[in-house]
Amino acid sequence: MRFLRQLIALSIVLVFMFVLPCSLWTFHLQRILLAGDTYETAFDDAGFYQDLTPRVLPALLKGLHEEHNTDDAPYQVTLLETINHLDERDWNHIAPELVPATWVEYTVETNLNAWVSWINGDAPTLEIIFRTETLRRRLESNAGIDALAQIAEALPPCDPAQTEQFDAYLNGEPDGEFPYCRPESREQQDALLDLLDQARLDAVAQFPQDLDVIEEMRTVAAQEMEDQGHPDEKTFTDADLNQARSVVRLWKHLLPAVLLIPIALLALIVIFAVRSFKTFFRWMGWALMLGCVLTLAPLFMLPFMVGEAHFETELETGFAAGGALIAEVLSNRMFDILVGQFTWPILIQAAILLVVGFIFAVLSVLLNDPDAPPDVVNTPTGMQVYQTPSGELVYVSTTGSTPTGTPIVGHMMPDQTPPPEQNPPV
């Protein structure tokens, strides 16, 4: 029976080793990702918006270009491709003239507050809107023309083969690809400015006044349903979004219950295996140490897991035209959120539990085991002494008139000495 109880307790320990990491990681992951303060803290850095500014215009142009792209002019010069061919340092210097950092900060904080208000139930509907009027005015104004001249100057110089390719494109040869470089002749440079200016005007024409991300998602979802042969099937509605919000809010309130699962497993171990303080510290100590080691193991693989997550592609696909910008906003700080605000609580808590488990294991070694079999010692009088778990000594005579192995009447305490052997009267 004792062996069966220990076998059941050992099985519970194995389950606990895997449940503890899942509980801690799930608790902190949901607690951090579902809290608006997490993103506010992550974005509360002046350098964040300055680093994000050069990525805003390419991200918006990417989404709009994919939405309006056709196969009629595959080799058309675009502003997006022109920016992609610039050196990163040159574009970082030119970008603030087209995209103000104040607009980036206002847009990010406004949409973040709207999302937090919707999650908390303060807003009836979810609205994620990029108001692009400021960017469109910048592109149309003299600031856009001046920035375009800087872009043309920052392009890499053309080599002889690219110069020929540039002339072929200007002559309208079929399948002629634009080389995106800066030619040497004045005539070709003027033609380059004309091509880039037309690309600027095409980009302005594609910019909507307001880019409603939710409506874009509905449009893309409806297109996918139509491509799959279900044109009459409804896409997600505000009611569906509110239902998803209710599930999220319910999960936030039930989140502490996740930590009760490993506690319940430890209680079961106590029920099946613990019979003394020694066994309590032994089972609890080793269970905590092994569970904490598995909890800390993913921290060493987290940088590789983040690199392989491909969450930018998922965001771009799921949020349609505004997805590229959302991916840039989140990916620029997602690694900091995971490492800075997510791993430290797990690291600290697992380390504390690991130390507690080690202390318990040490105590289990130092304490005596009351379930151990009694020690047997030989007395000088030819008797054997058996010590019971309660501390009493039982004397058994091995010689004399009593049969071997028959205990003498009466028990003696450990502080008593065995009675002297007496001769029977003659």
Side-chain angles (χ1 to χ4, degrees):
M1 191 65 176
R2 180 181 179 183
F3 174 76
L4 180 60
R5 292 198 306 267
Q6 291 183 347
L7 182 61
I8 295 175
L10 182 60
S11 303
I12 298 175
V13 170
L14 295 177
V15 176
F16 174 82
M17 289 171 52
F18 295 96
V19 169
L20 180 62
C22 295
S23 298
L24 289 178
W25 281 80
T26 301
F27 175 79
H28 290 288
L29 180 65
Q30 302 296 335
R31 179 182 62 85
I32 291 174
L33 294 183
L34 297 179
D37 296 340
T38 300
Y39 303 95
E40 292 177 359
T41 303
F43 300 153
D44 190 15
D45 184 3
F48 165 71
Y49 295 106
Q50 295 177 358
D51 296 338
L52 181 62
T53 297
R55 297 174 172 86
V56 169
L57 186 58
L60 283 176
L61 291 175
K62 181 179 180 180
L64 295 173
H65 176 71
E66 292 176 354
E67 184 177 357
H68 297 87
N69 186 31
T70 60
D71 297 332
D72 297 337
Y75 303 112
Q76 182 180 1
V77 178
T78 62
L79 184 59
L80 176 61
E81 286 298 324
T82 305
I83 295 173
N84 291 337
H85 283 80
L86 293 177
D87 185 80
E88 184 177 357
R89 291 176 297 179
D90 294 333
W91 172 241
N92 291 343
H93 177 72
I94 300 172
E97 299 185 13
L98 296 175
V99 182
T102 55
W103 178 87
V104 178
E105 181 176 0
Y106 172 79
T107 301
V108 171
E109 292 183 353
T110 301
N111 288 290
L112 177 61
N113 293 334
W115 181 80
V116 172
S117 299
W118 179 75
I119 285 291
N120 294 332
D122 300 331
T125 58
L126 176 61
E127 294 183 354
I128 302 178
I129 300 176
F130 297 130
R131 306 191 183 280
T132 60
E133 181 63 25
T134 301
L135 302 183
R136 186 169 57 180
R137 287 202 308 266
R138 282 293 184 98
L139 284 173
E140 290 177 334
S141 64
N142 294 330
I145 298 176
D146 295 339
L148 200 66
Q150 297 181 39
I151 291 174
E153 187 65 26
L155 286 172
C158 297
D159 56 27
Q162 289 177 327
T163 301
E164 295 179 0
Q165 189 177 1
F166 190 92
D167 291 334
Y169 184 86
L170 292 180
N171 294 331
E173 294 184 6
D175 299 337
E177 295 185 10
F178 188 70
Y180 291 100
C181 61
R182 186 183 71 254
E184 295 182 358
S185 65
R186 186 62 182 177
E187 293 79 5
Q188 290 178 330
Q189 291 181 1
D190 293 339
L192 174 63
L193 287 175
D194 293 338
L195 291 174
L196 295 183
D197 187 67
Q198 183 60 43
R200 175 182 66 88
L201 296 177
D202 293 339
V204 171
Q206 292 179 357
F207 264 83
Q209 184 174 359
D210 293 326
L211 182 58
D212 193 333
V213 176
I214 303 300
E215 290 300 326
E216 290 286 339
M217 291 174 60
R218 290 194 176 100
T219 302
V220 172
Q223 184 64 38
E224 291 179 355
M225 291 296 179
E226 185 176 354
D227 295 339
Q228 295 176 3
H230 306 285
D232 298 332
E233 188 171 346
K234 294 183 179 180
T235 59
F236 61 92
T237 61
D238 291 338
D240 297 330
L241 291 176
N242 292 333
Q243 183 178 2
R245 177 181 59 179
S246 300
V247 174
V248 172
R249 296 184 64 186
L250 177 62
W251 177 247
K252 288 176 63 177
H253 289 87
L254 296 178
L255 195 57
V258 175
L259 300 179
L260 297 178
I261 301 177
I263 296 176
L265 293 175
L266 292 179
L268 289 176
I269 296 174
V270 173
I271 294 174
F272 283 101
V274 173
R275 291 296 179 268
S276 63
F277 283 108
K278 184 180 182 68
T279 55
F280 171 80
F281 288 125
R282 178 190 300 165
W283 284 95
M284 294 298 102
W286 283 104
L288 288 175
M289 285 193 296
L290 294 176
C292 290
V293 169
L294 290 181
T295 301
L296 295 174
L299 294 179
F300 300 97
M301 299 180 290
L302 185 61
F304 306 100
M305 295 168 59
V306 172
E308 298 295 331
H310 304 292
F311 49 81
E312 294 186 28
T313 304
E314 297 294 334
L315 288 173
E316 291 182 13
T317 304
F319 285 94
L325 180 55
I326 294 177
E328 290 291 347
V329 173
L330 294 182
S331 65
N332 207 30
R333 283 289 170 169
M334 186 63 70
F335 186 78
D336 293 340
I337 292 174
L338 290 176
V339 175
Q341 301 188 38
F342 175 60
T343 59
W344 276 110
I346 293 181
L347 180 62
I348 294 173
Q349 293 178 8
I352 292 175
L353 293 177
L354 185 62
V355 173
V356 172
F358 178 76
I359 294 175
F360 281 6
V362 172
L363 290 176
S364 69
V365 176
L366 298 178
L367 294 176
N368 294 325
D369 188 2
D371 294 332
D375 297 330
V376 178
V377 295
N378 292 326
T379 64
T381 59
M383 303 180 68
Q384 290 184 341
V385 182
Y386 294 87
Q387 184 177 8
T388 64
S390 62
E392 295 179 333
L393 296 179
V394 179
Y395 293 88
V396 179
S397 175
T398 59
T399 61
S401 58
T402 57
T404 302
T406 302
I408 293 179
V409 178
H411 293 188
M412 302 185 67
M413 299 304 294
D415 57 347
Q416 293 178 316
T417 60
E421 187 176 325
Q422 299 179 358
N423 295 326
V426 179

